[in-house]
Amino acid sequence: MSGTFLGMPGNFPKNAEKAVQNSQLRFNLRKATHTIRGKRASVVAELPDWKELRAAAKAVKDETLRHLDRYLVQLEEAVTRTGGHVHWARDAAEANRIVTGLVQATGESEVVKVKSMATQEIGLNEALAEHGITAYETDLAELIVQLGDDFPSHILVPAIHRNRAEIREIFLEKMPETPDGLSDEPAALAEAARVHLRERFLRSKVAISGANFMIAETGTLVVLESEGNGRMCLTLPETLISVVGIEKLLPSWRDLEIFLQLLPRSSTGERMNPYTSMWTGATEGQEFHLVLLDNGRTDVLADEVGRQALRCIRCSACLNVCPVYERTGGHAYGSVYPGPIGAILTPQLRGMGSELDASLPYASSLCGACFDVCPVAIDIPEVLVDLRAKAPHGAAERAGMRVAGWVLGDEARLAKAQRLAVRVRGLVPRRLPGPLSAWTDTRDLPEIPEESFRDWWERHERP
């Protein structure tokens, strides 16, 4: 997996501390996430068989992951049979080399892109730029992020941290054809983006996409989007290159029906997706290349607990209910995958060798709201706890818990520990040092009692 965002501090707590001080960011996030999750709850409640759909989706994804090798070969055969070309990429560097070579072979120096988290994960735009190839994002939110020299902060709405006024300023500064009198009304902003993108669509000969799903049975790829930009990218260019994680497979065409009910409701709160594009191999004379991306996924698959993260269909429902994400935003996670799913997926894909990645499993209150809304029943709290045990500092934590268990496991030892704590608690300053001072400064602490609760209880309970 590619590195962390440029300029990102050392770990999640430091990033979060900076983010929570931004009141505008917190307002933007709260408004957006509460709106989306309210719509989701409404449309989910309409389906009496939602629990059954969720269980079916989990079963399909688990079956796919158990036999991933077989289904990948089946997919390759189907795509090849229908005129497409399949490439296998072990990591980000190999995927970038493959895509760069394919674009260079066309003689083109620019490409248009459908929103793709896999290409963000491997840093494809930057890799193409190093070879003189410019990639233009066509999703509205991704366009905002790209023009603002920013980073995505949400899986579904990458520019969720921006409000309308900020977007207007970005358009005025970075899109020369934008009229000076542009308002910050959503319709006006969308129209300005449409005018800006139209020329790109009409002149670009190469497009790059991801895919929400791949069907092993038929070799079909599926993209769901809300603006129609994906349809333009997938049909107009002469060459289409799709970079897709190997976990996006579904065994059969019939399985897709389950996910086309779950994904729109979980992501945008819609009953069905506005634009669902499907293509099988090379169509209408277009040259098609499929790049299957591993980049750490087989390592995740080998983990009995962590592999359930590969069920993720990138709906972002877990982000919209997470109290931590709502206050810190996506940038604090230092990854293209923010929120609860990012806290378990990123450390598994990248490893926990860096200070940031080792801190991500702790970016959660373990409230379980993410598990409750996940359409494929990923038990995110379970994976978080498992990753915490594997973190580099997990050994010290385990040692501390063993000591606590030893003390709490014997009544006599516990009583002695409590009495010792009473004797030394007077040494604890009333104002805690460092970051903890903010906690004590805002609270009136009571006087420290001279005896433990156990001693007080025994004294008052004796006849």
Side-chain angles (χ1 to χ4, degrees):
M1 191 171 182
S2 58
T4 57
F5 292 156
L6 297 177
M8 186 60 62
N11 56 41
F12 181 83
K14 292 179 182 177
N15 303 343
E17 182 181 5
K18 180 179 180 180
V20 297
Q21 295 172 7
N22 186 333
S23 59
Q24 184 64 58
L25 172 67
R26 295 202 313 273
F27 175 82
N28 295 347
L29 288 169
R30 178 177 175 80
K31 181 178 180 181
T33 56
H34 280 238
T35 298
I36 297 172
R37 77 191 196 196
K39 292 174 61 180
R40 175 204 170 273
S42 176
V43 295
V44 165
E46 296 174 352
L47 293 183
D49 61 341
W50 180 260
K51 290 183 179 179
E52 289 76 13
L53 282 169
R54 189 177 186 237
K58 176 182 180 295
V60 169
K61 294 296 285 187
D62 283 345
E63 157 69 15
T64 308
L65 294 173
R66 276 194 297 270
H67 304 288
L68 188 60
D69 54 346
R70 187 180 78 202
Y71 288 124
L72 283 170
V73 172
Q74 184 181 8
L75 174 75
E76 180 184 32
E77 293 173 347
V79 171
T80 303
R81 188 167 57 247
T82 53
H85 306 276
V86 177
H87 311 263
W88 299 80
R90 288 166 292 187
D91 53 28
E94 187 169 13
N96 287 333
R97 284 197 302 272
I98 291 170
V99 176
T100 301
L102 291 172
V103 177
Q104 288 176 328
T106 67
E108 297 295 320
S109 60
E110 63 178 43
V111 300
V112 289
K113 288 184 64 193
V114 186
K115 180 178 182 293
S116 165
M117 302 202 74
T119 60
Q120 293 171 351
E121 174 188 327
I122 63 176
L124 179 61
N125 287 11
E126 293 77 14
L128 291 174
E130 291 177 1
H131 292 83
I133 301 168
T134 303
Y136 294 103
E137 299 290 350
T138 63
D139 175 84
L140 178 56
E142 288 289 352
L143 175 65
I144 294 166
V145 169
Q146 185 178 45
L147 293 177
D149 296 321
D150 202 351
F151 301 106
S153 62
H154 191 275
I155 289 176
L156 178 68
V157 193
I160 196 172
H161 56 290
R162 297 286 195 180
N163 60 32
R164 295 185 305 178
E166 292 173 315
I167 295 169
R168 174 183 178 273
E169 293 303 316
I170 291 172
F171 282 7
L172 288 173
E173 180 181 352
K174 296 297 180 68
M175 295 194 319
E177 65 272 31
T178 302
D180 293 337
L182 177 69
S183 75
D184 63 359
E185 290 300 313
L189 296 173
E191 178 61 24
R194 187 178 298 114
V195 171
H196 173 74
L197 290 171
R198 187 173 301 277
E199 180 188 0
R200 310 289 186 206
F201 288 134
L202 293 176
R203 80 182 187 201
S204 296
K205 304 296 183 182
V206 181
I208 296 175
S209 83
N212 294 96
F213 306 105
M214 301 183 292
I215 311 300
E217 178 183 46
T218 60
T220 303
L221 273 69
V222 185
V223 163
L224 281 70
E225 42 102 8
S226 300
E227 301 164 15
N229 62 297
R231 187 71 55 85
M232 300 285 280
C233 286
L234 296 169
T235 57
L236 290 179
E238 297 172 0
T239 301
L240 173 61
I241 304 168
S242 298
V243 182
V244 190
I246 57 176
E247 82 282 13
K248 294 297 188 71
L249 265 178
L250 299 178
S252 70
W253 181 264
R254 186 174 182 177
D255 297 322
L256 184 61
E257 180 263 344
I258 301 169
F259 296 90
L260 291 184
Q261 294 184 73
L262 291 170
L263 183 53
R265 285 176 166 83
S266 298
S267 57
T268 58
E270 295 171 296
R271 296 177 181 86
M272 65 182 295
N273 207 69
Y275 293 92
T276 301
S277 300
M278 306 180 188
W279 68 101
T280 304
T283 59
E284 298 179 1
Q286 186 183 67
E287 185 174 353
F288 172 59
H289 297 269
L290 171 60
V291 180
L292 293 171
L293 177 69
D294 185 329
N295 204 33
R297 284 159 174 78
T298 52
D299 293 332
V300 180
L301 186 62
D303 190 305
E304 292 186 2
V305 177
R307 70 172 61 135
Q308 59 186 297
L310 296 179
R311 289 189 215 136
C312 178
I313 58 175
R314 311 291 192 266
C315 69
S316 76
C318 62
L319 281 69
N320 299 327
V321 298
C322 178
V324 176
Y325 174 85
E326 182 183 314
R327 288 158 181 80
T328 65
H331 291 164
Y333 295 82
S335 166
V336 66
Y337 304 113
I341 188 60
I344 65 171
L345 186 58
T346 299
Q348 292 191 88
L349 291 176
R350 291 200 302 221
M352 289 189 282
S354 72
E355 186 180 2
L356 174 61
D357 294 326
S359 70
L360 287 179
Y362 294 85
S364 170
S365 64
L366 298 180
C367 67
C370 51
F371 174 50
D372 292 339
V373 300
C374 178
V376 288
I378 302 172
D379 193 342
I380 294 178
E382 178 188 30
V383 183
L384 286 168
V385 172
D386 185 63
L387 288 173
R388 290 179 185 186
K390 298 173 181 175
H393 48 281
E397 184 175 317
R398 287 193 295 271
M401 294 304 293
R402 282 197 293 268
V403 171
W406 180 79
V407 173
L408 296 172
D410 182 85
E411 187 174 351
R413 284 197 292 264
L414 177 60
K416 290 179 181 178
Q418 288 175 325
R419 292 187 178 100
L420 176 62
V422 169
R423 296 191 186 98
V424 302
R425 71 174 62 179
L427 301 177
V428 177
R430 291 185 60 79
R431 187 178 189 279
L432 296 177
L436 296 178
S437 62
W439 187 83
T440 52
D441 288 347
T442 57
R443 288 161 173 81
D444 295 325
L445 299 180
E447 293 295 327
I448 299 175
E450 297 181 357
E451 62 180 345
S452 69
F453 176 78
R454 176 184 289 272
D455 290 341
W456 176 89
W457 180 260
E458 290 179 352
R459 181 163 55 81
H460 284 76
E461 286 297 302
R462 286 176 181 173

